[in-house]
Amino acid sequence: MARTDPDSTTAIAVRSGGQVRPPRPRRAGYGLVTPGILFLLVFFVVPVFTLLATSLYVKPPGADIGQFAPALEFGNYAIVLGDYWPELIRSFGFALIATVLCLVIGYPMAYLIAVRLRGHGLLQGILLVLLIAPFFTSFVLRTQAWRQVLADEGFVVQTLKVLHLMPQEATLTATSFAVVAGLTYNFLPFMVLPIFANLQALDGRLLEAGRDLYANGSTVFRTVTFPLSVPGVLAGTLLTFIPAAGDYVSAAILGNNRNTTMIGQVIESRFMRVLDYPGAAALSFILMLSILLLVTLYVRRFGTRDLV
């Protein structure tokens, strides 16, 4: 009689005609995944390959602005990388700072809602609604509101100057501080919600067991709560860092100068204004590959097997 491994995740083999054969996969499974595969193929795979092909185009001699011919000009990557590497590094720097700030601000919020207010459904719901409420307004309008908050005549700047915490001639708009503040505010819910979902599923008996073993609150948090919430932290940091690195709205509205330009602004300008399609496509591909590399290294270093 054939022996099967009870721990194996493969299908149980069946014995027929003296041979052990796995069961045939059900066609219904393929039917369920086909729409998703087609969607990804049409709206992700094809555009990515189109972007790659466009990044290799060249401008023929005597061609008008915006006219390019198919080619294999890999030198486009070296040109744009040599011209715009400061903006690329700055984008990753701003995104990293904003991600760290979102984690520092967002984790206590998620912990309060999911753990400390467990059993208070109404209060939990109110706080979650307040957290998600900004999504009901435009991303551009929220960023424009931050420009008004940080304006020279605004309450924040005037208060800092009255308290002599800020020089009279200083300003907050069109600075790196304003851009990072906008990124942090706009992407904070992307950090809080995954951590909240992870902490919400935390078994409260584990916390009680830690306290029963005479551990204080900080020890229970350090040895039980935070380790179990690492998947949520990992998901939140990825959901925050990836869109923040490619953002250009915050930099365009709150910065809009040479010292705050992010790579998203450069790509938008090359595509829509300069009509340098190969250069813009090359920058987009470089940004995508850079984020993919950084995310892979981050997940393999700090992640869990479920997210690798």
mmCIF file of all heavy atoms in Angstrom, residues 59-108:
data_model
loop_
_atom_site.group_PDB
_atom_site.id
_atom_site.type_symbol
_atom_site.label_atom_id
_atom_site.label_comp_id
_atom_site.label_asym_id
_atom_site.label_seq_id
_atom_site.Cartn_x
_atom_site.Cartn_y
_atom_site.Cartn_z
ATOM 1 N N LYS A 59 16.140 59.492 -31.280
ATOM 2 C CA LYS A 59 15.597 60.563 -32.101
ATOM 3 C C LYS A 59 16.352 60.614 -33.420
ATOM 4 O O LYS A 59 17.556 60.874 -33.445
ATOM 5 C CB LYS A 59 15.719 61.907 -31.370
ATOM 6 C CG LYS A 59 15.048 63.068 -32.104
ATOM 7 C CD LYS A 59 15.089 64.329 -31.265
ATOM 8 C CE LYS A 59 14.358 65.462 -31.966
ATOM 9 N NZ LYS A 59 14.369 66.705 -31.152
ATOM 10 N N PRO A 60 15.665 60.378 -34.545
ATOM 11 C CA PRO A 60 16.348 60.398 -35.842
ATOM 12 C C PRO A 60 16.854 61.802 -36.174
ATOM 13 O O PRO A 60 16.311 62.802 -35.696
ATOM 14 C CB PRO A 60 15.263 59.949 -36.824
ATOM 15 C CG PRO A 60 14.210 59.310 -35.986
ATOM 16 C CD PRO A 60 14.264 60.005 -34.663
ATOM 17 N N PRO A 61 17.886 61.901 -37.001
ATOM 18 C CA PRO A 61 18.383 63.227 -37.419
ATOM 19 C C PRO A 61 17.304 64.022 -38.138
ATOM 20 O O PRO A 61 16.628 63.519 -39.040
ATOM 21 C CB PRO A 61 19.551 62.886 -38.354
ATOM 22 C CG PRO A 61 19.966 61.507 -37.959
ATOM 23 C CD PRO A 61 18.716 60.812 -37.523
ATOM 24 N N GLY A 62 17.130 65.267 -37.725
ATOM 25 C CA GLY A 62 16.153 66.139 -38.351
ATOM 26 C C GLY A 62 14.725 65.923 -37.922
ATOM 27 O O GLY A 62 13.811 66.562 -38.464
ATOM 28 N N ALA A 63 14.484 65.038 -36.950
ATOM 29 C CA ALA A 63 13.119 64.772 -36.496
ATOM 30 C C ALA A 63 12.599 65.925 -35.657
ATOM 31 O O ALA A 63 13.364 66.660 -35.013
ATOM 32 C CB ALA A 63 13.075 63.477 -35.693
ATOM 33 N N ASP A 64 11.286 66.102 -35.658
ATOM 34 C CA ASP A 64 10.657 67.153 -34.865
ATOM 35 C C ASP A 64 10.649 66.762 -33.394
ATOM 36 O O ASP A 64 10.950 65.625 -33.024
ATOM 37 C CB ASP A 64 9.228 67.397 -35.346
ATOM 38 C CG ASP A 64 9.185 67.981 -36.755
ATOM 39 O OD1 ASP A 64 10.188 68.624 -37.148
ATOM 40 O OD2 ASP A 64 8.171 67.765 -37.455
ATOM 41 N N ILE A 65 10.267 67.723 -32.548
ATOM 42 C CA ILE A 65 10.186 67.470 -31.111
ATOM 43 C C ILE A 65 9.120 66.417 -30.837
ATOM 44 O O ILE A 65 7.993 66.497 -31.333
ATOM 45 C CB ILE A 65 9.860 68.767 -30.352
ATOM 46 C CG1 ILE A 65 10.982 69.789 -30.538
ATOM 47 C CG2 ILE A 65 9.638 68.490 -28.872
ATOM 48 C CD1 ILE A 65 10.702 71.125 -29.890
ATOM 49 N N GLY A 66 9.483 65.422 -30.074
ATOM 50 C CA GLY A 66 8.552 64.369 -29.725
ATOM 51 C C GLY A 66 8.511 63.206 -30.699
ATOM 52 O O GLY A 66 7.742 62.267 -30.484
ATOM 53 N N GLN A 67 9.328 63.242 -31.747
ATOM 54 C CA GLN A 67 9.372 62.157 -32.720
ATOM 55 C C GLN A 67 10.596 61.279 -32.462
ATOM 56 O O GLN A 67 11.723 61.778 -32.431
ATOM 57 C CB GLN A 67 9.404 62.696 -34.145
ATOM 58 C CG GLN A 67 8.116 63.375 -34.575
ATOM 59 C CD GLN A 67 8.166 63.804 -36.031
ATOM 60 O OE1 GLN A 67 9.226 63.819 -36.662
ATOM 61 N NE2 GLN A 67 7.006 64.157 -36.570
ATOM 62 N N PHE A 68 10.364 59.979 -32.294
ATOM 63 C CA PHE A 68 11.436 59.036 -32.002
ATOM 64 C C PHE A 68 11.214 57.774 -32.811
ATOM 65 O O PHE A 68 10.095 57.486 -33.254
ATOM 66 C CB PHE A 68 11.485 58.708 -30.509
ATOM 67 C CG PHE A 68 11.748 59.901 -29.642
ATOM 68 C CD1 PHE A 68 10.691 60.650 -29.129
ATOM 69 C CD2 PHE A 68 13.041 60.285 -29.340
ATOM 70 C CE1 PHE A 68 10.921 61.754 -28.335
ATOM 71 C CE2 PHE A 68 13.282 61.386 -28.537
ATOM 72 C CZ PHE A 68 12.229 62.133 -28.036
ATOM 73 N N ALA A 69 12.279 57.041 -32.990
ATOM 74 C CA ALA A 69 12.229 55.802 -33.769
ATOM 75 C C ALA A 69 12.650 54.633 -32.883
ATOM 76 O O ALA A 69 13.522 54.782 -32.016
ATOM 77 C CB ALA A 69 13.152 55.905 -34.987
ATOM 78 N N PRO A 70 12.053 53.456 -33.108
ATOM 79 C CA PRO A 70 12.446 52.277 -32.320
ATOM 80 C C PRO A 70 13.923 51.934 -32.514
ATOM 81 O O PRO A 70 14.452 52.003 -33.619
ATOM 82 C CB PRO A 70 11.538 51.172 -32.860
ATOM 83 C CG PRO A 70 10.375 51.900 -33.462
ATOM 84 C CD PRO A 70 10.923 53.180 -34.005
ATOM 85 N N ALA A 71 14.571 51.590 -31.424
ATOM 86 C CA ALA A 71 15.986 51.233 -31.470
ATOM 87 C C ALA A 71 16.324 50.466 -30.201
ATOM 88 O O ALA A 71 15.416 50.110 -29.416
ATOM 89 C CB ALA A 71 16.859 52.477 -31.614
ATOM 90 N N LEU A 72 17.607 50.206 -30.013
ATOM 91 C CA LEU A 72 18.106 49.557 -28.800
ATOM 92 C C LEU A 72 19.200 50.426 -28.200
ATOM 93 O O LEU A 72 20.342 50.004 -28.043
ATOM 94 C CB LEU A 72 18.637 48.149 -29.115
ATOM 95 C CG LEU A 72 17.599 47.117 -29.563
ATOM 96 C CD1 LEU A 72 18.279 45.810 -29.943
ATOM 97 C CD2 LEU A 72 16.554 46.881 -28.479
ATOM 98 N N GLU A 73 18.838 51.650 -27.845
ATOM 99 C CA GLU A 73 19.790 52.615 -27.317
ATOM 100 C C GLU A 73 19.799 52.554 -25.794
ATOM 101 O O GLU A 73 19.065 53.273 -25.104
ATOM 102 C CB GLU A 73 19.422 54.023 -27.794
ATOM 103 C CG GLU A 73 20.413 55.101 -27.383
ATOM 104 C CD GLU A 73 21.829 54.774 -27.786
ATOM 105 O OE1 GLU A 73 22.105 54.725 -28.997
ATOM 106 O OE2 GLU A 73 22.646 54.537 -26.880
ATOM 107 N N PHE A 74 20.648 51.665 -25.256
ATOM 108 C CA PHE A 74 20.751 51.540 -23.801
ATOM 109 C C PHE A 74 21.475 52.728 -23.184
ATOM 110 O O PHE A 74 21.454 52.897 -21.968
ATOM 111 C CB PHE A 74 21.472 50.244 -23.445
ATOM 112 C CG PHE A 74 20.675 49.005 -23.744
ATOM 113 C CD1 PHE A 74 20.844 48.324 -24.947
ATOM 114 C CD2 PHE A 74 19.753 48.529 -22.835
ATOM 115 C CE1 PHE A 74 20.110 47.183 -25.223
ATOM 116 C CE2 PHE A 74 19.011 47.380 -23.101
ATOM 117 C CZ PHE A 74 19.182 46.704 -24.309
ATOM 118 N N GLY A 75 22.102 53.545 -24.010
ATOM 119 C CA GLY A 75 22.763 54.735 -23.487
ATOM 120 C C GLY A 75 21.801 55.737 -22.887
ATOM 121 O O GLY A 75 22.225 56.620 -22.131
ATOM 122 N N ASN A 76 20.503 55.623 -23.206
ATOM 123 C CA ASN A 76 19.521 56.530 -22.610
ATOM 124 C C ASN A 76 19.522 56.417 -21.089
ATOM 125 O O ASN A 76 19.322 57.414 -20.381
ATOM 126 C CB ASN A 76 18.123 56.216 -23.145
ATOM 127 C CG ASN A 76 17.979 56.531 -24.620
ATOM 128 O OD1 ASN A 76 18.724 57.362 -25.167
ATOM 129 N ND2 ASN A 76 17.034 55.884 -25.292
ATOM 130 N N TYR A 77 19.745 55.217 -20.583
ATOM 131 C CA TYR A 77 19.748 55.005 -19.136
ATOM 132 C C TYR A 77 20.934 55.718 -18.490
ATOM 133 O O TYR A 77 20.795 56.339 -17.433
ATOM 134 C CB TYR A 77 19.784 53.509 -18.826
ATOM 135 C CG TYR A 77 18.474 52.813 -19.065
ATOM 136 C CD1 TYR A 77 18.147 52.333 -20.333
ATOM 137 C CD2 TYR A 77 17.554 52.643 -18.043
ATOM 138 C CE1 TYR A 77 16.937 51.696 -20.559
ATOM 139 C CE2 TYR A 77 16.354 52.003 -18.259
ATOM 140 C CZ TYR A 77 16.043 51.534 -19.523
ATOM 141 O OH TYR A 77 14.838 50.909 -19.735
ATOM 142 N N ALA A 78 22.086 55.611 -19.112
ATOM 143 C CA ALA A 78 23.269 56.274 -18.557
ATOM 144 C C ALA A 78 23.105 57.785 -18.579
ATOM 145 O O ALA A 78 23.522 58.482 -17.640
ATOM 146 C CB ALA A 78 24.507 55.865 -19.345
ATOM 147 N N ILE A 79 22.484 58.309 -19.628
ATOM 148 C CA ILE A 79 22.316 59.760 -19.749
ATOM 149 C C ILE A 79 21.397 60.298 -18.655
ATOM 150 O O ILE A 79 21.737 61.249 -17.940
ATOM 151 C CB ILE A 79 21.775 60.110 -21.141
ATOM 152 C CG1 ILE A 79 22.818 59.792 -22.219
ATOM 153 C CG2 ILE A 79 21.394 61.590 -21.205
ATOM 154 C CD1 ILE A 79 22.305 59.977 -23.631
ATOM 155 N N VAL A 80 20.204 59.704 -18.518
ATOM 156 C CA VAL A 80 19.245 60.229 -17.537
ATOM 157 C C VAL A 80 19.717 59.971 -16.115
ATOM 158 O O VAL A 80 19.474 60.782 -15.215
ATOM 159 C CB VAL A 80 17.852 59.623 -17.771
ATOM 160 C CG1 VAL A 80 17.313 60.025 -19.133
ATOM 161 C CG2 VAL A 80 17.875 58.098 -17.648
ATOM 162 N N LEU A 81 20.391 58.845 -15.900
ATOM 163 C CA LEU A 81 20.893 58.572 -14.552
ATOM 164 C C LEU A 81 21.995 59.546 -14.174
ATOM 165 O O LEU A 81 22.076 59.987 -13.018
ATOM 166 C CB LEU A 81 21.401 57.135 -14.472
ATOM 167 C CG LEU A 81 21.732 56.599 -13.073
ATOM 168 C CD1 LEU A 81 20.498 56.661 -12.175
ATOM 169 C CD2 LEU A 81 22.253 55.172 -13.149
ATOM 170 N N GLY A 82 22.830 59.910 -15.132
ATOM 171 C CA GLY A 82 23.867 60.899 -14.852
ATOM 172 C C GLY A 82 23.315 62.285 -14.620
ATOM 173 O O GLY A 82 23.884 63.065 -13.851
ATOM 174 N N ASP A 83 22.189 62.598 -15.273
ATOM 175 C CA ASP A 83 21.604 63.940 -15.135
ATOM 176 C C ASP A 83 20.720 64.079 -13.904
ATOM 177 O O ASP A 83 20.645 65.169 -13.312
ATOM 178 C CB ASP A 83 20.787 64.283 -16.386
ATOM 179 C CG ASP A 83 21.654 64.475 -17.622
ATOM 180 O OD1 ASP A 83 22.869 64.733 -17.457
ATOM 181 O OD2 ASP A 83 21.121 64.361 -18.745
ATOM 182 N N TYR A 84 20.051 63.002 -13.504
ATOM 183 C CA TYR A 84 19.006 63.135 -12.485
ATOM 184 C C TYR A 84 19.213 62.228 -11.278
ATOM 185 O O TYR A 84 18.268 61.980 -10.527
ATOM 186 C CB TYR A 84 17.628 62.829 -13.106
ATOM 187 C CG TYR A 84 17.270 63.764 -14.224
ATOM 188 C CD1 TYR A 84 17.239 63.309 -15.548
ATOM 189 C CD2 TYR A 84 16.972 65.092 -13.984
ATOM 190 C CE1 TYR A 84 16.914 64.170 -16.585
ATOM 191 C CE2 TYR A 84 16.649 65.964 -15.013
ATOM 192 C CZ TYR A 84 16.625 65.491 -16.314
ATOM 193 O OH TYR A 84 16.304 66.341 -17.337
ATOM 194 N N TRP A 85 20.434 61.755 -11.044
ATOM 195 C CA TRP A 85 20.652 60.933 -9.860
ATOM 196 C C TRP A 85 20.411 61.692 -8.561
ATOM 197 O O TRP A 85 19.963 61.068 -7.575
ATOM 198 C CB TRP A 85 22.067 60.322 -9.875
ATOM 199 C CG TRP A 85 23.188 61.308 -9.744
ATOM 200 C CD1 TRP A 85 23.888 61.894 -10.740
ATOM 201 C CD2 TRP A 85 23.736 61.791 -8.515
ATOM 202 N NE1 TRP A 85 24.845 62.737 -10.238
ATOM 203 C CE2 TRP A 85 24.774 62.686 -8.866
ATOM 204 C CE3 TRP A 85 23.470 61.570 -7.174
ATOM 205 C CZ2 TRP A 85 25.529 63.361 -7.909
ATOM 206 C CZ3 TRP A 85 24.211 62.235 -6.221
ATOM 207 C CH2 TRP A 85 25.225 63.116 -6.587
ATOM 208 N N PRO A 86 20.663 63.029 -8.469
ATOM 209 C CA PRO A 86 20.328 63.714 -7.198
ATOM 210 C C PRO A 86 18.840 63.658 -6.878
ATOM 211 O O PRO A 86 18.463 63.468 -5.714
ATOM 212 C CB PRO A 86 20.807 65.150 -7.427
ATOM 213 C CG PRO A 86 21.841 65.043 -8.507
ATOM 214 C CD PRO A 86 21.346 63.958 -9.398
ATOM 215 N N GLU A 87 17.988 63.823 -7.891
ATOM 216 C CA GLU A 87 16.548 63.763 -7.660
ATOM 217 C C GLU A 87 16.116 62.359 -7.247
ATOM 218 O O GLU A 87 15.225 62.199 -6.408
ATOM 219 C CB GLU A 87 15.793 64.185 -8.923
ATOM 220 C CG GLU A 87 15.825 65.668 -9.218
ATOM 221 C CD GLU A 87 17.140 66.109 -9.852
ATOM 222 O OE1 GLU A 87 17.991 65.225 -10.164
ATOM 223 O OE2 GLU A 87 17.329 67.319 -10.049
ATOM 224 N N LEU A 88 16.765 61.348 -7.796
ATOM 225 C CA LEU A 88 16.434 59.970 -7.430
ATOM 226 C C LEU A 88 16.814 59.689 -5.977
ATOM 227 O O LEU A 88 16.004 59.130 -5.208
ATOM 228 C CB LEU A 88 17.166 59.001 -8.369
ATOM 229 C CG LEU A 88 16.843 57.515 -8.202
ATOM 230 C CD1 LEU A 88 15.392 57.237 -8.541
ATOM 231 C CD2 LEU A 88 17.768 56.661 -9.086
ATOM 232 N N ILE A 89 18.013 60.095 -5.587
ATOM 233 C CA ILE A 89 18.445 59.904 -4.195
ATOM 234 C C ILE A 89 17.562 60.707 -3.252
ATOM 235 O O ILE A 89 17.181 60.222 -2.168
ATOM 236 C CB ILE A 89 19.920 60.305 -4.035
ATOM 237 C CG1 ILE A 89 20.812 59.430 -4.928
ATOM 238 C CG2 ILE A 89 20.350 60.198 -2.582
ATOM 239 C CD1 ILE A 89 20.753 57.961 -4.602
ATOM 240 N N ARG A 90 17.227 61.932 -3.647
ATOM 241 C CA ARG A 90 16.375 62.772 -2.792
ATOM 242 C C ARG A 90 15.001 62.141 -2.605
ATOM 243 O O ARG A 90 14.426 62.189 -1.511
ATOM 244 C CB ARG A 90 16.240 64.170 -3.404
ATOM 245 C CG ARG A 90 15.440 65.144 -2.522
ATOM 246 C CD ARG A 90 15.301 66.507 -3.180
ATOM 247 N NE ARG A 90 16.606 67.115 -3.407
ATOM 248 C CZ ARG A 90 17.072 67.424 -4.626
ATOM 249 N NH1 ARG A 90 16.326 67.176 -5.698
ATOM 250 N NH2 ARG A 90 18.255 67.982 -4.759
ATOM 251 N N SER A 91 14.457 61.551 -3.665
ATOM 252 C CA SER A 91 13.138 60.911 -3.559
ATOM 253 C C SER A 91 13.157 59.774 -2.550
ATOM 254 O O SER A 91 12.254 59.656 -1.712
ATOM 255 C CB SER A 91 12.707 60.390 -4.936
ATOM 256 O OG SER A 91 12.595 61.444 -5.868
ATOM 257 N N PHE A 92 14.191 58.943 -2.613
ATOM 258 C CA PHE A 92 14.288 57.842 -1.665
ATOM 259 C C PHE A 92 14.532 58.359 -0.249
ATOM 260 O O PHE A 92 14.037 57.783 0.726
ATOM 261 C CB PHE A 92 15.400 56.886 -2.077
ATOM 262 C CG PHE A 92 15.079 56.086 -3.301
ATOM 263 C CD1 PHE A 92 16.028 55.848 -4.279
ATOM 264 C CD2 PHE A 92 13.815 55.558 -3.489
ATOM 265 C CE1 PHE A 92 15.738 55.108 -5.412
ATOM 266 C CE2 PHE A 92 13.498 54.813 -4.617
ATOM 267 C CZ PHE A 92 14.466 54.589 -5.578
ATOM 268 N N GLY A 93 15.294 59.448 -0.128
ATOM 269 C CA GLY A 93 15.533 60.024 1.190
ATOM 270 C C GLY A 93 14.261 60.576 1.807
ATOM 271 O O GLY A 93 13.954 60.311 2.983
ATOM 272 N N PHE A 94 13.497 61.356 1.027
ATOM 273 C CA PHE A 94 12.228 61.884 1.517
ATOM 274 C C PHE A 94 11.272 60.750 1.880
ATOM 275 O O PHE A 94 10.583 60.805 2.911
ATOM 276 C CB PHE A 94 11.587 62.787 0.464
ATOM 277 C CG PHE A 94 12.233 64.131 0.340
ATOM 278 C CD1 PHE A 94 11.862 65.002 -0.673
ATOM 279 C CD2 PHE A 94 13.220 64.546 1.218
ATOM 280 C CE1 PHE A 94 12.443 66.257 -0.786
ATOM 281 C CE2 PHE A 94 13.824 65.790 1.109
ATOM 282 C CZ PHE A 94 13.423 66.649 0.092
ATOM 283 N N ALA A 95 11.204 59.730 1.021
ATOM 284 C CA ALA A 95 10.290 58.617 1.272
ATOM 285 C C ALA A 95 10.690 57.861 2.532
ATOM 286 O O ALA A 95 9.827 57.442 3.314
ATOM 287 C CB ALA A 95 10.267 57.677 0.070
ATOM 288 N N LEU A 96 11.989 57.685 2.756
ATOM 289 C CA LEU A 96 12.449 56.971 3.953
ATOM 290 C C LEU A 96 12.114 57.757 5.220
ATOM 291 O O LEU A 96 11.631 57.185 6.210
ATOM 292 C CB LEU A 96 13.953 56.738 3.863
ATOM 293 C CG LEU A 96 14.603 56.029 5.057
ATOM 294 C CD1 LEU A 96 14.003 54.652 5.253
ATOM 295 C CD2 LEU A 96 16.116 55.936 4.872
ATOM 296 N N ILE A 97 12.362 59.064 5.194
ATOM 297 C CA ILE A 97 12.051 59.892 6.374
ATOM 298 C C ILE A 97 10.553 59.867 6.655
ATOM 299 O O ILE A 97 10.114 59.723 7.803
ATOM 300 C CB ILE A 97 12.550 61.325 6.162
ATOM 301 C CG1 ILE A 97 14.069 61.346 6.047
ATOM 302 C CG2 ILE A 97 12.102 62.223 7.318
ATOM 303 C CD1 ILE A 97 14.631 62.712 5.671
ATOM 304 N N ALA A 98 9.748 60.012 5.597
ATOM 305 C CA ALA A 98 8.296 60.000 5.778
ATOM 306 C C ALA A 98 7.822 58.652 6.301
ATOM 307 O O ALA A 98 6.917 58.586 7.149
ATOM 308 C CB ALA A 98 7.608 60.330 4.455
ATOM 309 N N THR A 99 8.430 57.566 5.838
ATOM 310 C CA THR A 99 8.037 56.233 6.306
ATOM 311 C C THR A 99 8.356 56.058 7.785
ATOM 312 O O THR A 99 7.538 55.511 8.552
ATOM 313 C CB THR A 99 8.755 55.154 5.477
ATOM 314 O OG1 THR A 99 8.415 55.313 4.093
ATOM 315 C CG2 THR A 99 8.354 53.771 5.941
ATOM 316 N N VAL A 100 9.531 56.502 8.204
ATOM 317 C CA VAL A 100 9.907 56.404 9.620
ATOM 318 C C VAL A 100 8.963 57.239 10.474
ATOM 319 O O VAL A 100 8.502 56.796 11.540
ATOM 320 C CB VAL A 100 11.366 56.837 9.817
ATOM 321 C CG1 VAL A 100 11.707 56.901 11.306
ATOM 322 C CG2 VAL A 100 12.319 55.873 9.104
ATOM 323 N N LEU A 101 8.648 58.459 10.028
ATOM 324 C CA LEU A 101 7.730 59.315 10.782
ATOM 325 C C LEU A 101 6.337 58.694 10.849
ATOM 326 O O LEU A 101 5.680 58.750 11.902
ATOM 327 C CB LEU A 101 7.665 60.705 10.139
ATOM 328 C CG LEU A 101 8.924 61.563 10.260
ATOM 329 C CD1 LEU A 101 8.746 62.867 9.496
ATOM 330 C CD2 LEU A 101 9.246 61.853 11.723
ATOM 331 N N CYS A 102 5.886 58.110 9.747
ATOM 332 C CA CYS A 102 4.573 57.448 9.759
ATOM 333 C C CYS A 102 4.561 56.286 10.739
ATOM 334 O O CYS A 102 3.560 56.054 11.427
ATOM 335 C CB CYS A 102 4.223 56.956 8.355
ATOM 336 S SG CYS A 102 3.721 58.249 7.200
ATOM 337 N N LEU A 103 5.672 55.551 10.827
ATOM 338 C CA LEU A 103 5.740 54.432 11.767
ATOM 339 C C LEU A 103 5.733 54.936 13.205
ATOM 340 O O LEU A 103 5.022 54.378 14.064
ATOM 341 C CB LEU A 103 6.998 53.613 11.501
ATOM 342 C CG LEU A 103 7.241 52.413 12.423
ATOM 343 C CD1 LEU A 103 6.080 51.425 12.344
ATOM 344 C CD2 LEU A 103 8.551 51.722 12.078
ATOM 345 N N VAL A 104 6.510 55.977 13.492
ATOM 346 C CA VAL A 104 6.579 56.523 14.849
ATOM 347 C C VAL A 104 5.225 57.091 15.274
ATOM 348 O O VAL A 104 4.791 56.928 16.429
ATOM 349 C CB VAL A 104 7.679 57.599 14.927
ATOM 350 C CG1 VAL A 104 7.645 58.309 16.275
ATOM 351 C CG2 VAL A 104 9.049 56.976 14.693
ATOM 352 N N ILE A 105 4.548 57.755 14.350
ATOM 353 C CA ILE A 105 3.254 58.352 14.672
ATOM 354 C C ILE A 105 2.134 57.320 14.605
ATOM 355 O O ILE A 105 1.221 57.311 15.435
ATOM 356 C CB ILE A 105 2.947 59.524 13.717
ATOM 357 C CG1 ILE A 105 4.010 60.619 13.864
ATOM 358 C CG2 ILE A 105 1.559 60.098 13.983
ATOM 359 C CD1 ILE A 105 3.894 61.717 12.829
ATOM 360 N N GLY A 106 2.204 56.450 13.609
ATOM 361 C CA GLY A 106 1.088 55.557 13.332
ATOM 362 C C GLY A 106 0.996 54.350 14.251
ATOM 363 O O GLY A 106 -0.116 53.881 14.533
ATOM 364 N N TYR A 107 2.125 53.834 14.708
ATOM 365 C CA TYR A 107 2.063 52.626 15.548
ATOM 366 C C TYR A 107 1.305 52.897 16.851
ATOM 367 O O TYR A 107 0.437 52.089 17.226
ATOM 368 C CB TYR A 107 3.461 52.090 15.835
ATOM 369 C CG TYR A 107 3.445 50.680 16.374
ATOM 370 C CD1 TYR A 107 3.701 49.604 15.533
ATOM 371 C CD2 TYR A 107 3.143 50.410 17.706
ATOM 372 C CE1 TYR A 107 3.676 48.296 16.016
ATOM 373 C CE2 TYR A 107 3.109 49.117 18.190
ATOM 374 C CZ TYR A 107 3.373 48.064 17.345
ATOM 375 O OH TYR A 107 3.324 46.772 17.824
ATOM 376 N N PRO A 108 1.594 53.968 17.576
ATOM 377 C CA PRO A 108 0.794 54.215 18.787
ATOM 378 C C PRO A 108 -0.692 54.389 18.488
ATOM 379 O O PRO A 108 -1.536 53.959 19.287
ATOM 380 C CB PRO A 108 1.405 55.508 19.347
ATOM 381 C CG PRO A 108 2.796 55.525 18.813
ATOM 382 C CD PRO A 108 2.705 54.932 17.449
#
